[in-house]
């Protein structure tokens, strides 16, 4: 507006605030973890992808998906003898089902959420409706990994284990998209900080989980 009107009197309240570099650094780096520790619902949503085992908190879902990058070469390259060029093909079901699940999410779950807007207007839709895909993704997590584990033996046909990547890809999209959208709707003013804390911790464990198990 200042550029269009040529009048420097137009400015927002936020621009008028003078924040030094130290305070800004504390806000940007400290608030995500502060929010994570002080907001019980955010902690619960973040811990949804955790699992406690022997007093160690695991980013359960994300860690296990990252573990596939270590397990697939063992099963398909060492067990079934695929060469380096073909060893990446077993990841195709994950990719294809991931794309399909995004389409299903947008066409069904997101449109269903949008249709509720007139019902709750002028307020926003309850963010809890964003968690509906988790109910479908939860059982698929168990099914997909049991399927892959029971059919990954070299003595079995390679095509017995390959389709297990389809429910895995759906699990990834449903279980991650739903909590992300919930957090975004539940904490609209601090959504970036809330998502940042969860993402940093999840990625740290996703990188370390395969190393831990090896």
């Amino acid at each position: 507006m200042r550029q269009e009107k040529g009048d420097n009197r137009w400015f927002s309240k936020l621009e008028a605030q003078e924040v030094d570099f130290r305070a800004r650094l504390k806000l940007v780096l400290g608030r995500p973890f502060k929010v994570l520790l002080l907001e019980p619902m955010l902690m619960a949503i973040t811990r949804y992808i955790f699992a406690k085992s022997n007093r160690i908190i695991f980013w359960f879902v994300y860690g296990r998906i990252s573990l596939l990058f270590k397990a697939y070469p063992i099963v398909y390259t060492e067990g079934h003898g695929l060469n380096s060029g073909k060893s990446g093909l077993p990841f195709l079901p994950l990719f294809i089902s991931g794309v399909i699940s995004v389409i299903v999410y947008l066409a069904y779950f997101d449109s269903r959420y949008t249709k509720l807007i007139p019902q709750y207007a002028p307020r926003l839709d309850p963010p809890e409706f964003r968690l509906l895909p988790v109910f479908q993704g939860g059982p698929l997590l168990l099914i997909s990994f049991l399927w892959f584990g029971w059919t990954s033996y070299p003595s079995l046909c390679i095509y017995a284990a390959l389709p297990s990547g389809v429910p895995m890809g759906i699990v990834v999209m449903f279980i991650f998209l739903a909590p992300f959208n919930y957090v975004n709707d539940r904490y609209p003013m601090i959504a970036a900080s809330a998502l940042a804390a969860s993402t940093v911790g999840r990625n740290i464990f996703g990188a370390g989980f395969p190393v831990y198990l090896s």
Side-chain angles (χ1 to χ4, degrees), residues 52-121:
K52 284 190 175 181
S53 175
N54 298 327
R55 299 182 182 179
I56 300 175
I57 298 178
F58 289 158
W59 269 259
F60 189 70
V61 176
Y62 197 78
R64 296 207 169 209
I65 294 299
S66 300
L67 187 63
L68 293 178
F69 291 99
K70 189 176 183 66
Y72 268 34
I74 295 176
V75 172
Y76 296 110
T77 303
E78 298 180 13
H80 292 284
L82 296 183
N83 57 38
S84 57
K86 296 180 180 179
S87 60
L89 294 178
F91 287 98
L92 280 177
L94 285 169
F95 171 75
I96 295 173
S97 61
V99 173
I100 295 174
S101 62
V102 169
I103 296 174
V104 172
Y105 184 90
L106 294 175
Y108 177 71
F109 293 107
D110 198 59
S111 62
R112 183 179 178 182
Y113 186 80
T114 304
K115 291 178 181 178
L116 295 173
I117 293 178
Q119 180 179 346
Y120 292 94

Side-chain angles (χ1 to χ4, degrees), residues 172-189:
V172 172
M173 291 297 104
F174 280 7
I175 290 185
F176 284 119
L177 284 177
F180 279 178
N181 288 326
Y182 170 82
V183 170
N184 189 62
D185 290 353
R186 179 64 180 82
Y187 305 98
M189 301 302 296

Side-chain angles (χ1 to χ4, degrees), residues 16-213:
Q17 298 177 359
E18 294 185 4
V19 182
D20 59 11
F21 178 76
R22 184 177 179 181
R24 192 177 298 277
L25 191 65
K26 182 179 179 181
L27 177 66
V28 172
L29 298 181
R31 187 167 65 176
F33 300 100
K34 183 179 179 180
V35 171
L36 181 63
L37 294 175
L38 297 181
E39 285 291 334
M41 194 60 207
L42 178 60
M43 175 64 75
I45 286 296
T46 305
R47 285 173 63 90
Y48 174 74
I49 52 175
F50 293 0
K52 284 190 175 181
S53 175
N54 298 327
R55 299 182 182 179
I56 300 175
I57 298 178
F58 289 158
W59 269 259
F60 189 70
V61 176
Y62 197 78
R64 296 207 169 209
I65 294 299
S66 300
L67 187 63
L68 293 178
F69 291 99
K70 189 176 183 66
Y72 268 34
I74 295 176
V75 172
Y76 296 110
T77 303
E78 298 180 13
H80 292 284
L82 296 183
N83 57 38
S84 57
K86 296 180 180 179
S87 60
L89 294 178
F91 287 98
L92 280 177
L94 285 169
F95 171 75
I96 295 173
S97 61
V99 173
I100 295 174
S101 62
V102 169
I103 296 174
V104 172
Y105 184 90
L106 294 175
Y108 177 71
F109 293 107
D110 198 59
S111 62
R112 183 179 178 182
Y113 186 80
T114 304
K115 291 178 181 178
L116 295 173
I117 293 178
Q119 180 179 346
Y120 292 94
R123 297 183 178 181
L124 298 175
D125 296 4
E128 287 75 17
F129 284 108
R130 290 289 194 183
L131 299 177
L132 292 177
V134 175
F135 291 96
Q136 282 74 31
L140 286 177
L141 175 67
L142 176 62
I143 293 172
S144 61
F145 277 96
L146 286 177
W147 184 350
F148 177 68
W150 285 343
T151 58
S152 60
Y153 296 99
S155 58
L156 299 177
C157 176
I158 188 174
Y159 296 105
L162 279 175
S164 65
V166 174
M168 286 182 189
I170 296 175
V171 164
V172 172
M173 291 297 104
F174 280 7
I175 290 185
F176 284 119
L177 284 177
F180 279 178
N181 288 326
Y182 170 82
V183 170
N184 189 62
D185 290 353
R186 179 64 180 82
Y187 305 98
M189 301 302 296
I190 54 173
S193 298
L195 292 174
S198 178
T199 301
V200 169
R202 188 182 67 253
N203 286 334
I204 290 175
F205 186 80
F209 192 34
V211 178
Y212 170 79
L213 290 184

